[in-house]
Amino acid sequence: MKFKKIAAMVAAVFSVIACLSFSACKHAQELNYTESTARINNPDQGFYRPIYVRVNENGVTYNKNIVTASTQLYHLRTDISAFSGAVNGNADKPLNQAALDGLDGLLSYLKSKDKNAIVRFAYAPNFGDMKDAEPAKEVILQHIKEVCPVLDKYQNTITAIEAGMIGPWGEMHSSAIANAEHISPIIDTFLSNTSTIPLLVRTPKMIYNYLGITINDIDDYSIAATEKAYRLGLYNDGYLGSNSDLGTYTNREKEIAFLSRQTAHLPYGGEVVIPNSPLHDIQTCLPEMNQIHLSYLNVEWNNQVIDKWKNCTYTSDCGSDSLYYGKTAFEYIENHMGYRFVLTNSTLTYTKTLDYVSASLTLKNVGFGTLHRTKNAKLLLVNENGEAVFSANVGTFNECTNYDLYTDLNVNLQNGKYDVYLCLYGEELEGVPLYCLQFANDGLWNADLKANKIGSIEVNKVTVE
């Protein structure tokens, strides 16, 4: 019996040595897993600021000073009226190279600043309220074909194209050609000449017309991911203004149920209107914002509605999110537009000799919307001096609650402690990651690395004789 006890103790010791030296062990990470209420400038979402862009044969003019660190998303209100005979008093014209180069330069500038844009074109001068300012139908379609190669170069920069082209402010109404005969070809031309960028139109009926259906067909209608129309959604510049959103909807409940299947993978947003509408009362609007997967809104319009949200409080009457009790409705809406991932658990698996490392993460998306893009994923090891001593691409990241990654470590690390970071990014510019996703946890984001901390490892190379 004594011999058996000694043998068991020896076996246990060798088991520990094996775990320390040769085999992999799982290590639960001690991190802050609670949701932060801090504002995060994540890509493709939030309150945007408009930028008025004038395009003519000499190029593009706009106010660069609007682009600041505090805003991630911009609405490019692009006036191309100089190329319409109805405005220039001469003739319809193709977009010349200076105009296209100017648009390219604007998007390149936003990319260099790590900013996103929603793009809308209009023929109304100064992006104003003139109707019937459009050129001939074939010229409109030719202009779209001319701008699309430029837009398609900036697939990570452009959050969405709002089709526009027709009517005051490019809102696709009022002008004589605001009809299916003109709008459906505009939709098809944008979709056929871009590859991944979402295209948004002003009303659900425009979508039905393009699909060849009516509102009576939408209850069980779904669009396959292989179809061009999978990228076709809605922008709503009459948002919460009336039961029909100022004519946006024919049957609000029915159409939002249909649209929510599209907005689960596409942006949805616009402008709130009509200060005295009860629909934007905080107790009323939040459930629908969640259902429609709200992504973005104009922070400047309607300013009275924005001020209303800034001056009312999120309470238990609004919902069960107790973290936000006592905060403003504006803060709650701002923090929940689009996706918002909270890391709720992290486990790292590795050997003490660090031949490889794997991670298993649990995430919760508490936002109204979803992640519409696939992000690249990069794992970083950072030493005690804050230096990244190892970097490896570990695949991609999509909307998920459980995310696993693995990488071999072909690097000779010294004994010591290393923090492990995950960088989720859209693309790189001169080696710098852009459009990076930040988790909504305090203490995990490293702004220099543009990465989220997911744990720490200890390198302890033990020699067993």
Side-chain angles (χ1 to χ4, degrees), residues 388-407:
V389 295
F390 176 81
S391 169
N393 293 322
V394 290
T396 58
F397 176 85
N398 299 96
E399 175 85 15
C400 62
T401 54
N402 296 294
Y403 180 67
D404 297 318
L405 59 91
Y406 171 93
T407 185

Side-chain angles (χ1 to χ4, degrees), residues 28-313:
Q29 300 301 299
E30 295 184 3
L31 299 170
N32 184 347
Y33 293 120
T34 59
E35 179 189 348
S36 168
T37 59
R39 177 179 181 269
I40 298 172
N41 268 345
N42 267 324
D44 296 311
Q45 61 192 41
F47 281 108
Y48 73 71
R49 291 194 66 195
I51 298 178
Y52 290 88
V53 183
R54 180 172 292 181
V55 184
N56 58 34
E57 291 175 310
N58 297 317
V60 167
T61 56
Y62 64 97
N63 183 0
K64 277 190 176 182
N65 295 327
I66 295 174
V67 181
T68 64
S70 61
T71 301
Q72 175 62 32
L73 183 61
Y74 296 87
H75 194 278
L76 304 186
R77 303 184 167 188
T78 311
D79 169 10
I80 54 174
S81 63
F83 300 90
S84 173
V87 177
N88 64 38
N90 184 12
D92 296 342
K93 303 175 183 179
L95 299 176
N96 67 347
Q97 196 59 48
L100 296 173
D101 288 346
L103 179 61
D104 186 283
L106 167 54
L107 292 168
S108 178
Y109 176 71
L110 291 175
K111 177 179 174 178
S112 72
K113 296 296 184 180
D114 205 7
K115 302 299 185 181
N116 291 108
I118 300 156
V119 182
R120 191 198 304 175
F121 297 94
Y123 294 103
N126 300 314
F127 213 87
D129 61 358
M130 180 178 173
K131 64 181 180 178
D132 299 320
E134 304 83 9
K137 176 181 176 180
E138 61 271 16
V139 176
I140 296 174
L141 301 183
Q142 183 60 37
H143 287 167
I144 295 171
K145 292 175 183 177
E146 289 164 350
V147 299
C148 279
V150 177
L151 303 180
D152 223 32
K153 285 175 59 179
Y154 297 94
Q155 294 178 41
N156 281 295
T157 302
I158 298 175
T159 298
I161 301 166
E162 294 180 350
M165 310 302 289
I166 291 175
W169 313 288
E171 287 191 5
M172 310 180 81
H173 60 70
S174 299
S175 285
I177 64 169
N179 52 46
E181 179 186 350
H182 289 79
I183 291 173
S184 290
I186 286 172
I187 292 171
D188 196 65
T189 305
F190 269 120
L191 290 176
S192 298
N193 289 276
T194 54
S195 51
T196 65
I197 303 171
L199 177 69
L200 312 180
V201 293
R202 183 61 190 85
T203 68
K205 190 174 188 300
M206 296 173 186
I207 299 175
Y208 312 151
N209 289 337
Y210 179 73
L211 296 172
I213 63 174
T214 72
I215 191 172
N216 297 322
D217 303 313
I218 67 174
D219 286 346
D220 299 313
Y221 196 96
S222 62
I223 302 171
T226 54
E227 297 180 60
K228 283 189 293 187
Y230 191 73
R231 292 191 282 127
L232 182 58
L234 189 82
Y235 69 94
N236 188 348
D237 281 2
Y239 190 47
L240 303 177
S242 68
N243 190 56
S244 69
D245 280 357
L246 306 189
T248 300
Y249 299 120
T250 301
N251 182 323
R252 188 184 194 95
E253 183 177 351
K254 182 184 181 78
E255 293 182 280
I256 285 176
F258 165 77
L259 287 170
S260 67
R261 296 193 286 276
Q262 285 293 91
T263 57
H265 60 268
L266 295 174
Y268 173 90
E271 295 179 331
V272 287
V273 294
I274 311 299
N276 60 355
S277 169
L279 291 182
H280 42 63
D281 291 347
I282 185 63
Q283 297 91 338
T284 303
C285 65
L286 293 182
E288 185 181 287
M289 287 178 172
N290 190 66
Q291 182 185 7
I292 200 66
H293 307 115
L294 180 67
S295 299
Y296 66 86
L297 289 173
N298 184 359
V299 76
E300 297 180 8
W301 189 262
N302 181 287
N303 57 300
Q304 293 180 61
V305 179
I306 299 298
D307 288 343
K308 170 183 173 179
W309 285 341
K310 288 181 177 179
N311 290 299
C312 67
T313 303

Side-chain angles (χ1 to χ4, degrees), residues 353-354 389-390 409-415 418 459 461:
T353 51
L354 212 62
V389 295
F390 176 81
L409 294 172
N410 54 350
V411 62
N412 184 24
L413 296 176
Q414 301 297 314
N415 285 351
Y418 296 84
V459 177
K461 300 176 182 177

